[in-house]
Amino acid sequence: MSARLHLVRHGQTPSNVAGALDTALPGAPLTDLGRDQARTVGAELAASDIAPSVILSSEAARARETAGLIADATGLRTQAVPGMYEVQAGRFEMRTGNEALLAYNRLVRDWLEDGVLTSSLPGGESALAVQERAMPVVSELRESHLDNGTDVVLVVHGTLMRMIAVFAGAVPSQWALVNRIPNCGVIELAPDGGGWSCERWGDHLGRPPF
């Protein structure tokens, strides 16, 4: 099996429980359940046949903590990667309730269903801005690790993970819109010629049924 990019969503946080739009750095830590989720995915990765050299994460506290618990299970070191934070909520940051959640979800729908990549929330960012900061990191990881046969585990955030998969051309945008990723869910992307293929999406093992 060729080397893959394993995108892992962080474990549960108090903000997840409260339904708060927690997107700015450093963000909330994990809950006890979130730590258990991270240990579980760490054990799964340790028992697999993948061969990463480091567990990477975004700079958010919840991603760093998740990466640390995965590293404990795999015996690897961790490293935070700039620019891989969650899609920014702007003036809705840390807001709860229907207005904030609907606004954020509507933004993602504008991007993935309607293709309006310039849309953003007030004080937030557009899909084009997300693409500009995230995809060079993905390309660099491919060149420096995957192309040399080394898997990459990167702990990041749910909406960012879905957008990366779409930007990479690995999944249809409608699939990414409808199929969200749970805490500590995994998306696996594999180099496929000059592009990428999706080999796992959450509980869908193997190529998802697009």
Side-chain angles (χ1 to χ4, degrees), residues 15-103:
S15 298
N16 294 148
V17 176
L21 290 175
D22 183 358
T23 65
L25 297 175
L30 300 180
T31 62
D32 288 341
L33 174 58
R35 296 183 188 95
D36 288 342
Q37 291 169 332
R39 293 186 187 101
T40 296
V41 76
E44 176 188 316
L45 291 171
S48 70
D49 60 355
I50 70 170
S53 59
V54 63
I55 307 299
L56 303 176
S57 76
S58 86
E59 296 177 299
R62 56 195 180 277
R64 286 176 180 264
E65 190 175 1
T66 300
L69 291 166
I70 293 173
D72 289 344
T74 57
L76 298 171
R77 62 188 177 89
T78 64
Q79 180 180 329
V81 179
M84 299 303 282
Y85 47 85
E86 181 59 296
V87 172
Q88 297 294 283
R91 72 176 181 87
F92 290 100
E93 180 68 18
M94 293 309 296
R95 292 265 300 274
T96 60
N98 287 336
E99 180 187 3
L101 294 176
L102 284 173

Side-chain angles (χ1 to χ4, degrees), residues 4 41 44-45 184-189 198-208:
R4 299 180 180 184
V41 76
E44 176 188 316
L45 291 171
C184 279
V186 179
I187 295 174
E188 291 182 5
L189 302 180
C198 181
E199 303 299 329
R200 174 179 177 179
W201 187 283
D203 292 334
H204 291 277
L205 301 179
R207 296 195 178 190

Side-chain angles (χ1 to χ4, degrees), residues 142-209:
R142 176 173 179 164
E143 293 174 6
S144 61
H145 291 76
L146 276 67
D147 288 349
N148 295 315
T150 304
D151 289 87
V152 174
V153 175
L154 176 59
V155 182
V156 282
H157 308 272
T159 303
L160 179 64
M161 289 169 64
R162 292 188 287 157
M163 296 306 300
I164 287 173
V166 171
F167 291 146
V171 300
S173 57
Q174 189 64 34
W175 172 270
L177 176 65
V178 173
N179 293 279
R180 299 188 182 189
I181 297 295
N183 290 114
C184 279
V186 179
I187 295 174
E188 291 182 5
L189 302 180
D192 186 0
W196 296 83
S197 63
C198 181
E199 303 299 329
R200 174 179 177 179
W201 187 283
D203 292 334
H204 291 277
L205 301 179
R207 296 195 178 190

